[in-house]
Amino acid sequence: MTTPADSPFVPKGEPRFDSGQSCGYKPSGAPEDCGKPATWHVMWDGELDNSLTCDEHMTLIQQRWVYDDRHPVVADCTMPGALWSYPEKRCEFPTDEPALTVARQINGTP
């Protein structure tokens, strides 16, 4: 039987809505997030769960958990409506109408 400590999947916490570009890694029981400047944006799974992390915690992630994709943090990473671009390895704000429609649907805006 697999225990949480043996699982290759990251234990997910509460949803976070802070738009700061700081590392959101928070070990179980820790009072606060890491808070160091974020250098990586990690896409955890197909449900679009994602987070920002520093170099130190990206190393831990690579050693410990599976993830779908990652890219260096750019200004658009925490911008509402930004979309993850797998081919470009970055987040970007859509500039064409079909992509804007998708972004609005994902973010629940008309």
Side-chain angles (χ1 to χ4, degrees):
M1 180 172 168
T2 302
T3 66
D6 298 325
S7 175
F9 301 102
V10 68
K12 296 178 185 173
E14 295 291 320
R16 298 178 187 184
F17 301 100
D18 179 19
S19 63
Q21 301 269 49
S22 61
C23 178
Y25 180 77
K26 181 178 179 181
S28 297
E32 296 179 4
D33 295 346
C34 165
K36 291 180 185 173
T39 52
W40 292 99
H41 193 184
V42 181
M43 179 65 72
W44 292 106
D45 54 36
E47 294 178 8
L48 304 180
D49 287 327
N50 64 92
S51 62
L52 299 174
T53 193
C54 64
D55 286 334
E56 175 187 351
H57 291 118
M58 188 69 238
T59 299
L60 174 67
I61 289 166
Q62 290 178 301
Q63 293 170 351
R64 177 69 180 90
W65 295 295
V66 296
Y67 56 92
D68 192 39
D69 198 16
R70 72 177 184 147
H71 62 252
V73 170
V74 296
D76 286 343
C77 286
T78 57
M79 186 173 172
L83 298 174
W84 191 282
S85 175
Y86 283 90
E88 300 296 324
K89 289 288 196 185
R90 68 186 190 110
C91 287
E92 55 190 29
F93 192 78
T95 56
D96 64 334
E97 193 55 40
L100 281 169
T101 300
V102 169
R104 288 183 188 118
Q105 290 171 348
I106 290 172
N107 291 306
T109 57

